Amino acid sequence: AQTVTQSQPEMSVQEAETVTLSCTYDTSESDYYLFWYKQPPSRQMILVIRQEAYKQQNATENRFSVNFQKAAKSFSLKISDSQLGDAAMYFCAYRSALRNDMRFGAGTRLTVKP
Amino acid sequence: KAGVTQTPRYLIKTRGQQVTLSCSPISGHRSVSWYQQTPGQGLQFLFEYFSETQRNKGNFPGRFSGRQFSNSRSEMNVSTLELGDSALYLCASSFPDREYTEAFFGQGTRLTVV
């Protein structure tokens, strides 16, 4: 079974600084998708960024970028120029290309200090 | 385009009762997935419905069931409620094509079992 591990329960960053959230996963599949979701206090899960396993290029979305290391099964999220609105729970998720069900990590609570 | 709508937002039920939660997906989305989120177990996949058929199922007891209607709206039912069923139930809809792998989440239904 696929598992997703986020080893950092909490992280803190100063406003305007950069922070990296870690995620590792375990799978025997070769075709899959990886996601980072943000869950603010409003509870709604919001997609931050996604990465297709067959793409070697790391995904980037404005201030958010990933470091995807397929061989190491690592998928970290870098947030640049952190803003107060970035404070939230961040979940790393795995989805097989064969099934439409996502496996989530335990989450990392990010605090942004002004 | 309207987002994923879950009703009700909050629910309080007594142990032993049953409950039905509703999810209206984004127009055009035919896949609806349900997730349970608790502080102890995190986010766990319950099941996915596609074109009125359950396509994937997580590891939950038979008390948890669901269905999908011809307009893609989905309901989730939990019978014989237990205290441990208290959780945030999230619904996600997607267009299950390789190029459209993003799942859009609703704001969830907070179920409290007393």
Side-chain angles (χ1 to χ4, degrees):
Chain A
Q2 295 79 22
T3 57
V4 179
T5 302
Q6 292 179 250
S7 58
Q8 305 155 317
E10 295 184 355
M11 289 286 283
S12 179
V13 63
Q14 207 71 34
E15 195 176 6
E17 296 296 309
T18 296
V19 64
T20 298
L21 308 185
S22 301
C23 173
T24 58
Y25 58 94
D26 185 29
T27 184
S28 58
E29 298 177 327
S30 59
D31 199 7
Y32 50 86
Y33 306 93
L34 296 166
F35 306 87
W36 278 98
Y37 277 90
K38 168 185 175 181
Q39 187 179 40
S42 67
R43 307 178 332 202
Q44 183 148 22
M45 299 282 280
I46 302 165
L47 179 67
V48 174
I49 199 166
R50 79 170 190 222
Q51 174 82 42
E52 292 86 345
Y54 62 86
K55 291 186 178 178
Q56 292 187 343
Q57 188 171 6
N58 289 326
T60 299
E61 287 287 345
N62 301 314
R63 298 182 295 107
F64 300 88
S65 61
V66 299
N67 183 5
F68 173 47
Q69 302 288 329
K70 191 172 184 179
K73 297 179 183 174
S74 170
F75 183 61
S76 61
L77 174 70
K78 185 171 83 170
I79 306 174
S80 303
D81 186 25
S82 296
Q83 300 176 359
L84 296 177
D86 294 333
M89 280 291 286
Y90 284 81
F91 292 95
C92 177
Y94 169 102
R95 205 211 93 174
S96 166
L98 300 176
R99 296 180 309 280
N100 193 19
D101 63 331
M102 280 190 287
R103 310 297 169 125
F104 287 88
T108 296
R109 182 175 301 282
L110 178 66
T111 302
V112 181
K113 297 179 179 178
Chain B
K1 185 182 273 191
V4 178
T5 303
Q6 290 188 247
T7 56
R9 292 288 307 279
Y10 300 90
L11 209 48
I12 299 175
K13 289 288 188 178
T14 304
R15 194 170 41 181
Q17 287 186 314
Q18 76 165 9
V19 66
T20 299
L21 312 182
S22 180
C23 173
S24 292
I26 290 172
S27 178
H29 286 189
R30 292 189 294 157
S31 170
V32 175
S33 299
W34 289 89
Y35 293 84
Q36 182 196 64
Q37 185 176 20
T38 60
Q41 299 297 318
L43 277 151
Q44 292 185 287
F45 172 75
L46 280 155
F47 31 65
E48 182 219 5
Y49 284 86
F50 175 74
S51 293
E52 302 178 62
T53 301
Q54 187 181 89
R55 192 162 66 167
N56 293 292
K57 188 177 188 304
N59 189 27
F60 278 80
R63 300 185 297 106
F64 291 82
S65 63
R67 59 177 176 170
Q68 187 180 34
F69 302 94
S70 58
N71 61 358
S72 293
R73 188 178 71 86
S74 177
E75 288 183 348
M76 190 192 95
N77 184 76
V78 187
S79 62
T80 319
L81 283 165
E82 300 176 0
L83 296 179
D85 297 333
S86 294
L88 178 66
Y89 290 88
L90 292 167
C91 164
S93 78
S94 63
F95 188 89
D97 179 86
R98 184 177 181 82
E99 293 300 319
Y100 296 93
T101 56
E102 178 179 353
F104 293 84
F105 284 82
Q107 288 191 286
T109 294
R110 171 76 67 186
L111 171 65
T112 302
V113 182
V114 297

